[in-house]
Amino acid sequence: MAAHRLRQSVGRLFAMGPELGSGRRAFSAFQAFTEVLRLPSKQLTKLVFPLEELHEHFVPGSRPDLHLNIFHPSLEDIARAESFFTASARNRIEYLTSAVRLDHAPDLHRPEVCFIGRSNVGKSSLIKALFSLAPEVEVRVSKKPGHTKKLNFYKVGKYFTLVDMPGYGYRAPEDFVDMVETYLKERKNLMRTFLLVDSVVGIQKADNIAIEMCEEFALPYVMVLTKIDKPSKGHLLKQVLQIQKFVDTKTQGCFPQLFPEEASSALTPSSH
């Protein structure tokens, strides 16, 4: 069903071309996405709506207390999101600065979104993927946990600022709590927090601390499930259902739908 709805919108995507972004590079990004739309329905659903494919393996009514909330962005939503991350002369995407404390952070008036997660959860890889249409923006990715030690600020056109937070848990900065808690509590233009959870191991004790901070400070946040291509479908379904139940019963400010991300997916914003 989701794949069918996407294909119905192809014409509207090209009609939106001038509105979404100018330049050969932006249009080529939209053309690349239409290539994805030509995939067989099952393959398309797996790539664009991986949780919907997973939902097919869940027997309705087998556990009344467990269910999945599936997020269904329209093709226009996906294309518009991709245009935000497509660098052009009119849409500058760039690294701004880094800070070790909030009082060192730049005084910016644009809305901010931040990405936070346990060390080695795949945060830097996801941010690098989001900036794949702006290759001049360098996001360092390391195989060693705890690589990010500062708050890193990136300008995303005229739309917002993206903040890459240090990872918590193993090899976290010594002043992690003061640095991150102060930012989450006092940053006035922080509009949304993306909290990354490893789908292989689920919500860990360190994740609970980050969740508690988001809840205590009444922050709107989204739970992003990383590495969904790593575990078996059975194990992934179990983890996803448990995390969904946690979101439904233990949180107030978390977005009801889970956002999946594949470790090996093509590095484009529409893949995430």
Side-chain angles (χ1 to χ4, degrees):
M1 288 296 293
H4 178 66
R5 288 194 300 272
L6 277 178
R7 288 199 175 94
Q8 285 183 323
S9 305
V10 174
R12 294 199 298 275
L13 171 65
F14 283 103
M16 293 172 65
E19 176 187 343
L20 291 171
S22 60
R24 181 176 301 173
R25 187 176 180 182
F27 186 69
S28 66
F30 303 136
Q31 283 184 315
F33 189 65
T34 62
E35 291 297 321
V36 173
L37 295 177
R38 296 189 179 100
L39 293 172
S41 293
K42 188 173 182 179
Q43 191 175 352
L44 176 60
T45 299
K46 181 178 180 180
L47 179 64
V48 183
F49 298 107
L51 289 189
E52 180 163 295
E53 187 212 24
L54 188 67
H55 193 259
E56 296 175 0
H57 298 271
F58 181 55
V59 180
S62 59
R63 287 286 304 275
D65 59 324
L66 298 177
H67 70 283
L68 281 178
N69 290 322
I70 306 296
F71 180 56
H72 287 303
S74 68
L75 179 59
E76 290 88 346
D77 291 335
I78 295 174
R80 191 176 299 278
E82 189 156 87
S83 74
F84 292 166
F85 289 94
T86 302
S88 67
R90 299 177 59 185
N91 190 53
R92 294 192 62 183
I93 300 174
E94 57 188 345
Y95 164 78
L96 293 175
T97 189
S98 297
V100 294
R101 296 199 308 269
L102 181 60
D103 55 3
H104 291 175
D107 184 16
L108 303 172
H109 301 290
R110 286 185 299 273
E112 282 183 6
V113 300
C114 74
F115 284 68
I116 186 172
R118 194 164 51 86
S119 298
N120 205 34
V121 75
K123 177 171 53 64
S124 295
S125 296
L126 174 56
I127 294 174
K128 184 178 180 68
L130 290 172
F131 288 142
S132 62
L133 297 178
E136 65 278 5
V137 178
E138 182 180 0
V139 180
R140 294 182 179 179
V141 178
S142 174
K143 293 182 179 180
K144 296 181 179 180
H147 176 76
T148 305
K149 300 294 186 183
K150 301 178 181 179
L151 307 172
N152 297 318
F153 294 79
Y154 298 88
K155 175 185 177 182
V156 182
K158 62 182 180 181
Y159 303 105
F160 58 88
T161 301
L162 187 152
V163 184
D164 182 9
M165 310 282 280
Y168 50 79
Y170 179 67
R171 294 190 65 190
E174 293 182 2
D175 55 350
F176 172 84
V177 174
D178 291 338
M179 181 194 311
V180 172
E181 184 175 7
T182 303
Y183 173 85
L184 294 176
K185 184 178 182 179
E186 299 183 10
R187 193 66 167 176
K188 302 300 182 183
N189 54 334
L190 176 61
M191 297 292 116
R192 187 63 53 92
T193 297
F194 291 87
L195 198 159
L196 278 61
V197 174
D198 189 333
S199 66
V200 178
V201 298
I203 297 174
Q204 301 290 291
K205 185 179 296 185
D207 296 316
N208 277 315
I209 296 174
I211 293 169
E212 288 171 5
M213 283 195 291
C214 290
E215 292 288 331
E216 180 182 351
F217 304 144
L219 300 175
Y221 64 105
V222 174
M223 209 167 287
V224 180
L225 306 184
T226 65
K227 309 177 185 178
I228 65 165
D229 51 330
K230 296 296 185 181
S232 66
K233 285 185 179 179
H235 181 75
L236 177 61
L237 180 58
K238 178 183 177 181
Q239 292 286 10
V240 168
L241 290 172
Q242 288 178 346
I243 295 170
Q244 182 73 73
K245 183 178 180 180
F246 179 92
V247 169
D248 293 343
T249 61
K250 304 291 185 181
T251 70
Q252 297 291 325
C254 189
F255 197 75
Q257 285 89 6
L258 305 175
F259 282 46
E261 184 263 342
E262 294 187 4
S264 60
S265 59
L267 297 184
T268 63
S270 58
S271 302
H272 302 275

